[in-house]
Every structure is written in structure tokens, then in C-alpha cells.
Amino acid sequence: MGQECDQLADYSVFDANFPLDVNNEYHVTSNTTWGFNNMNVHGSVVIEPNKVLTIDGVTIHFGDTRKLGFTTNIVVKPGGDLVIKNGAVLTSLANCPASMWDGIKALGNPLVAESSSLQSVVTITTYSIIENAFVGILCAESSPEQGAYGAPPPGTGGIVHAQNGVFRNNKFGVVMRPHHTTSTSASNSYFYGCEFNTNSPLNYVDEPPVAHLWFDQVTRMKIGGCYFGNSFSVGQGQSAEQLGVGIHAFNTAIKVLPMCAPGVWNETCSDATLPTYVTNSFFGLSYGISFGTVGADKTCWVRDAYFSECVGGIRLNGAYAARLNHNYFAIPATGYTDVSYYGNYGVGIYNCTGFEIENNELTDNSTTGSYPNYGMIFSNTGDATNRYGNNNFTKLSTGTIIQHDNDGPLPDDGLDFKCNDYGNTGVVPWNLFDIDFAGTGVSVGTRQGVNNGLPDGPAGNTFSSVCISPETHMVNNFHQLQYFNYWHHDPGTTPKIVLPTCRSNPPMLNSWFVNTTQTYTKASACPGYIELINGGEGQRSAMAASEQNYGALKTIYNNERDGGDTEGLKELVSDANSSGYDVRNALMAAAPKVSIEIWEEVFNRETALNPWHMAQALLANSPLQSEVVSLMDRSELTPFYK
């Protein structure tokens, strides 16, 4: 048999500077920078404790362990550091199309708390890329496929600092396995402004993506302003599992929140490469977020996120006190081959309690409304007071499915649905069914709304304006349904349907629909209501704008990183129509390689940058050339900004 492509690759630059020992390892025993030559690497690069390997702006191609016959990866020992910055690329061999590499192992000590002196740290910034790896970054000795799920393997505890990093076409993007599970504080790891994407088939045969972020029994994770997607494998007739998961979290609390918004992730908002408000977005995945826990102390918060073309947007199993607020779900009607995926949905809540799900928009992503797809599914939600309210459901086969036991022993506990709009938002077509009580033994809170003399007492839900069938508003298919009282508003002069007249029976009898004297207005009936921008369309536009802004920054970086003095950058800086914000972003993205010629254009702009933008751009490009310092000294910047 002939030699594999990976065996025949040119490793001469690496071998000349970093020779392997008899174990096919190279040990980093002093602080080292790879920043001068692109090169092919084989063998294991081991970073020793208290040492730093910096990969700065170069492209490193790694051979395939399975084809070389010995391991090729980067191992960061406890206390060691790996820094990947300035658009560096860690990838497989360019001329070996069936090649993937093992990725990075960030090892730590699972028995001690997170600390940079006791754990390894991997930092990836400034649109640097990890791609074509089986596991981009593995914080353990073994991946989920190499050890029992949920069992603590050795070497866990590594820390990942990812800000504007790119993880592309990996089987797993980042895997963090059981570590320090007694802690309830946030992890030292974070993921801000990153891209996790599959935009082509994985190089290795029959290796579909599994998950971009995989958390298993680790401390609370912070995810802000990231994009998770599979922009390649979206289409009818596929296996949904082939699409991969955005965030998989088992026994791990997660907060998936926007960046640079009041009260959320603000740690990096002085970074000019981030727009002022960045949401998380999920596209074309089997699940955007899949969360499961067997305890009662792990929660999931998702706010202002955008889900499109995901078979399941968010699936929660066992979460405690979950908060899903102000998210947008464009739910596909595409058919998949998996029997388990009987229809696509926005939110699935299973065996969770104490939750709040409010102010979300859930709609079919087509213009005509095709089926089947479902807005929210609630199953066995326990005895606590669980609320889903102020949500919009439009163009769906079923707005909400409620199944199994969702009530406790008291009048005011159980599942409470309040102030939801089912197809009554002017969007055509309406939902085929608004609420479906599915299966036998279905229960919800005994009292939906109250007659307390206040406008917000009644339930406040509105229903589809037309009866497509006798069961448009509520359907239970003649299964056993626990009786509950439904207090509804007096519709008064409003055209909205506040009484679900299109319903199946028995047992849904008129006697349990109770009118009140309070007339319905959205503002008074639903005080917790937050208007989605332009009825949801603006929310979608805001999310898309964030994605485009992020994509534009990456494009600028990719186009302008060759010394910072390309014609494209020069034209952008000198164009009077370019905003100071755009110029600042371009200078930040090209850092630290902006040329003196470009800086002359910056300081001579007819429309000067505001001093804060100028200071940010200069800081990003430090240390400055002497000529640039002179330009700054001669400029009109005040001493404070200088």
C-alpha cells in the first residue's frame, strides 16, 4: 500500500525548528511564538506548566492522527497557556481533502477550583479560526465518544476564553466535561461574539457534526453574542441528527444572553470590534439549545436570541427556574427522516418547573404557512406555578401542545397560560390549532385567570380570528382532561377573540368559560407585555442586522489583514461617507498590522474620528511605530486620549 497524503506532506519547517522526540512529541519549555511562518505540523505539541505558546496571525496545518499512525494535536498541561490571535488559523492539511486533526486538549485538575495557576487556559481572539477538528478544544483527556457519558474523565478543568473566535466545520467545537460540580458560581470560561458554524461537509468520511458547544457537569457557562449554525446541511429528507446541536448542556447551568446590553454580558463591551448590541443566533440545527439535568439546581436563561430553521429551537428537560424571554423563533416546516421528529417546534419544556417563558415570537418561517410545526410543547411541568405568557403564535399547525400532568394541589399553582396571542396579530394564515391538550390525563392550573376586579385578572389570551375547523382554538381529541375554570375578558368593542369559541367537547363545556366585566386592552390586561419591535418583524431585522454586522467585521478582517495597507482599507478610511464607527472597526480588525500610510489617511480625514474611537483603534494597534506616535502627537487629540 502507498503512503497516505498526510504522511507525504512537507513538515520540514516544523521539523527544523521543533523536532519531535522518540514519543513523537515536541514540548514547549519556554515561552514561544509562532508568528513568522505558516507550516505543517505532525506529532503532539505539549505546552508545559507555566509556559505560553502564542500562535499569532499564521496558518498552521495539522496532520491526521488516524492516517499518520501517531497523535497530532496540541496539549496544554495544567498551568500552561495557549493564545491564538490576530486571525491565526489552526486547520487540517490543505492538500489532503479527507484529513481532520484531533484539535486542542486543555487539561486541568478536576479536584480543585478553577484557577489559571492550577488549570490550563486557551484563549482565542480577533477572528482566529479552529477548523476541521474532531474536537476543536477538549477540556478533558477524552471526548464524549471516548468515555462514559456523565462520568468524570481525568484532566478536566481547563479554561476557555473565546472572544470573537471562529469554530468551523468541527465535529465538536468545544467540549467541557465534569469538573467542580459543587460550585454554583459562573465558570471562568466564556464565549463572546464567536462564530460556530458548519458550512461544508466534514472532511472525514461519515462524520456529521455533533455539537458546537458541549457542556457536561461543569459550572455555569456564559454565552453572549454568538452565532451557531449549520449553513450547509439544511433541506428536506435529511436526518435531523445530521445537522448537529448548537449548545448541548447536561447538568450545567447556562446563560445565553446578548452582549453589551444593560444588565447582561458587558465584560468586553469596550472592545470596538463588537457592535453595541449583539444577540445570539441559531440557524439550521437539530436543536439550537438542548438542555438536560437530573438535579433541581441547574437553570437555563435565554434572552433576545434568534432561532431560524432549527428542528427544535430550545429543548429543556428538568431545568429549574428557566427563563426564556423575548426570543424569536422562525420554525421550519421542512420534513426530516427521523421518526422522533414528528414536527418542528420552537420551545419544548419537559419535566421542568418554576419557569417563566414570556414575550417570545413563534411563527412559521415561510410566507404561506406550511405544516406541521409547533410553537411550544409543555409536558409534566410539575406543581410549581409555571407561566408562559405574552407570547405570539402565528402561522403554525399548533400554537401550543400541553400534555400529561401540569397541575399541583392548590388553586393557584400549575401551568398558567396568560396573555398569549394565538394568530390574532393580523398575520395570515392563522394557526390550524391554537392549543392542543394532547394525550390522556392532561391537566393545567385549576384556575386560568381570576375575577379580581382588575384589568389584569382574566386570562387575557386571544385566539385565531377564524374557525378553520370546530377545533381551531382548543382541541383535546376527546381524551380525559382535568376540569379548569377559564376567566376571560369581556371583549367589549375589541375585534380580538378573547373567548375560545372553536373548541372540542366534551369535556370542554361552556360552564367552565367564565366572563368578567373587565374589557380587554393589551396594555391593561397584560402588564408584563413587551412589544416585539414592529410586531416581531423589527425583532427579526435587529437580529439579522447583528449577524450582518458581525459578518462585515469578519470580512474586513479577512480582506485587510495582509499588512493593513490594501486598497480596500485605504478607500474605506479616505471615503468621507465612511462613518467613524466603520473606520474604527476596520482599524481594529486589521490590528496590529495597520500601515503608516493608512494611519496618515486616518489622521488627515476631512471628517475626523471622535477621540474615543481614535484611542481604541490606536490601542488595538499598539505598540505603535514611531511615525504613528508623531502623527498622534501632532494631532488634535487631547492629552487625556493621548
Side-chain angles (χ1 to χ4, degrees), residues 398-628:
T398 304
T400 303
I401 294 176
I402 300 173
Q403 55 190 16
H404 303 303
D405 181 16
N406 303 279
D407 191 24
L410 302 177
D412 294 323
D413 58 18
L415 185 63
D416 176 20
F417 51 100
K418 188 174 178 66
C419 290
N420 297 290
D421 284 327
Y422 286 98
N424 209 331
T425 58
V427 178
V428 179
W430 320 113
N431 303 311
L432 186 59
F433 300 107
D434 290 340
I435 302 177
D436 182 0
F437 298 95
T440 59
V442 186
S443 65
V444 294
T446 306
R447 187 165 59 195
Q448 299 294 324
V450 293
N451 186 16
N452 61 1
L454 300 175
D456 62 345
N461 300 289
T462 65
F463 299 90
S464 295
S465 296
V466 294
C467 294
I468 301 172
S469 76
E471 300 172 338
T472 302
H473 294 159
M474 289 187 179
V475 57
N476 96 339
N477 294 321
F478 302 98
H479 295 301
Q480 180 184 359
L481 172 67
Q482 181 191 73
Y483 181 92
F484 63 90
N485 273 313
Y486 187 87
W487 292 85
H488 66 88
H489 286 82
D490 183 340
T493 59
T494 179
K496 294 185 180 295
I497 307 301
V498 299
L499 170 62
T501 55
C502 307
R503 56 192 185 275
S504 53
N505 78 106
M508 294 185 180
L509 303 175
N510 288 329
S511 61
W512 57 273
F513 289 95
V514 188
N515 187 37
T516 72
T517 58
Q518 297 299 324
T519 57
Y520 178 88
T521 60
K522 190 70 174 179
S524 59
C526 307
Y529 177 70
I530 300 174
E531 181 74 36
L532 288 171
I533 308 167
N534 295 334
E537 183 60 35
Q539 179 84 349
R540 175 165 34 188
S541 298
M543 306 289 183
S546 293
E547 286 187 45
Q548 291 170 1
N549 200 339
Y550 177 68
L553 293 176
K554 290 188 295 180
T555 300
I556 290 170
Y557 190 91
N558 291 335
N559 290 341
E560 319 304 345
R561 55 183 290 236
D562 53 343
D565 56 357
T566 65
E567 288 303 312
L569 182 56
K570 185 176 181 180
E571 289 175 4
L572 185 145
V573 170
S574 59
D575 187 350
N577 293 319
S578 298
S579 69
Y581 176 78
D582 291 336
V583 172
R584 177 198 66 174
N585 286 347
L587 296 171
M588 292 284 293
K593 301 177 181 179
V594 175
S595 67
I596 296 168
E597 178 187 2
I598 296 298
W599 281 117
E600 289 174 343
E601 291 286 343
V602 173
F603 281 101
N604 291 326
R605 268 175 58 92
E606 185 173 337
T607 305
L609 270 66
N610 77 47
W612 176 228
H613 285 171
M614 179 69 86
Q616 289 175 311
L618 288 166
L619 281 169
N621 283 274
S622 297
L624 301 172
Q625 305 99 314
S626 59
E627 295 89 341
V628 179

Side-chain angles (χ1 to χ4, degrees), residues 48 63 110 184 348 383 524 548:
E48 295 293 333
T184 57
D383 294 350
S524 59
Q548 291 170 1

Side-chain angles (χ1 to χ4, degrees), residues 164-342:
N164 298 347
V166 179
F167 298 80
R168 192 175 293 156
N169 297 329
N170 304 302
K171 187 170 184 178
F172 294 87
V174 177
V175 170
M176 307 188 80
R177 303 200 64 190
H179 164 252
H180 202 56
T181 55
T182 59
S183 174
T184 57
S185 62
S187 170
N188 287 345
S189 296
Y190 56 78
F191 302 89
Y192 297 146
C194 294
E195 175 198 342
F196 297 86
N197 196 14
T198 305
N199 61 10
S200 68
L202 300 192
N203 283 352
Y204 218 67
V205 178
D206 298 325
E207 291 285 356
V210 176
H212 291 307
L213 288 179
W214 177 288
F215 302 132
D216 179 6
Q217 299 183 60
V218 292
T219 50
R220 177 160 37 93
M221 284 294 158
K222 299 180 288 187
I223 299 105
C226 294
Y227 171 82
F228 299 86
N230 186 330
S231 55
F232 173 76
S233 300
V234 179
Q236 191 165 355
Q238 293 178 301
S239 169
E241 292 182 353
Q242 302 290 306
L243 305 178
V245 176
I247 301 172
H248 168 99
F250 177 74
N251 272 8
T252 301
I254 57 173
K255 289 190 175 181
V256 184
L257 303 175
M259 289 295 300
C260 306
V264 290
W265 305 138
N266 293 294
E267 287 90 335
T268 60
C269 294
S270 60
D271 179 354
T273 63
L274 281 172
T276 54
Y277 185 80
V278 189
T279 61
N280 294 280
S281 53
F282 301 80
F283 176 80
L285 301 160
S286 60
Y287 294 113
I289 298 173
S290 177
F291 178 97
T293 181
V294 295
D297 60 344
K298 304 297 182 185
T299 192
C300 174
W301 289 10
V302 186
R303 181 183 135 188
D304 289 298
Y306 178 69
F307 297 81
S308 177
E309 292 286 346
C310 295
V311 179
I314 300 175
R315 187 183 194 279
L316 304 185
N317 194 332
Y320 175 73
R323 298 290 182 266
L324 310 180
N325 296 321
H326 216 245
N327 302 295
Y328 191 99
F329 298 86
I331 305 167
T334 305
Y336 293 91
T337 60
D338 305 66
V339 176
S340 59
Y341 290 89
Y342 57 90

Side-chain angles (χ1 to χ4, degrees), residues 38-160:
N38 299 336
M39 60 183 175
N40 297 334
V41 170
H42 59 166
S44 187
V45 178
V46 181
I47 304 171
E48 295 293 333
N50 304 313
K51 301 299 181 256
V52 182
L53 172 61
T54 302
I55 303 177
D56 187 353
V58 294
T59 298
I60 307 298
H61 297 274
F62 294 84
D64 191 321
T65 293
R66 292 151 188 78
K67 298 182 179 185
L68 288 170
F70 54 87
T71 301
T72 294
N73 63 358
I74 297 178
V75 178
V76 192
K77 286 189 174 181
D81 286 81
L82 173 63
V83 178
I84 309 164
K85 65 180 185 178
N86 294 324
V89 180
L90 281 63
T91 186
S92 59
L93 291 175
N95 297 320
C96 298
S99 183
M100 292 182 75
W101 67 294
D102 278 13
I104 299 162
K105 279 188 179 181
L107 302 181
N109 186 335
L111 302 179
V112 298
E114 287 183 328
S115 168
S116 59
S117 63
L118 297 171
Q119 314 291 5
S120 64
V121 179
V122 176
T123 302
I124 177 170
T125 64
T126 50
Y127 307 107
S128 297
I129 299 171
I130 298 175
E131 66 179 5
N132 298 339
F134 286 98
V135 184
I137 302 175
L138 170 61
C139 296
E141 281 282 8
S142 59
S143 76
E145 296 179 318
Q146 298 168 313
Y149 181 81
T156 58
I159 298 168
V160 179

Side-chain angles (χ1 to χ4, degrees), residues 364-386:
D364 186 298
N365 69 344
S366 70
T367 58
T368 59
S370 38
Y371 311 109
N373 51 18
Y374 311 101
M376 294 183 179
I377 302 171
F378 296 93
S379 179
N380 284 328
T381 57
D383 294 350
T385 299
N386 299 302

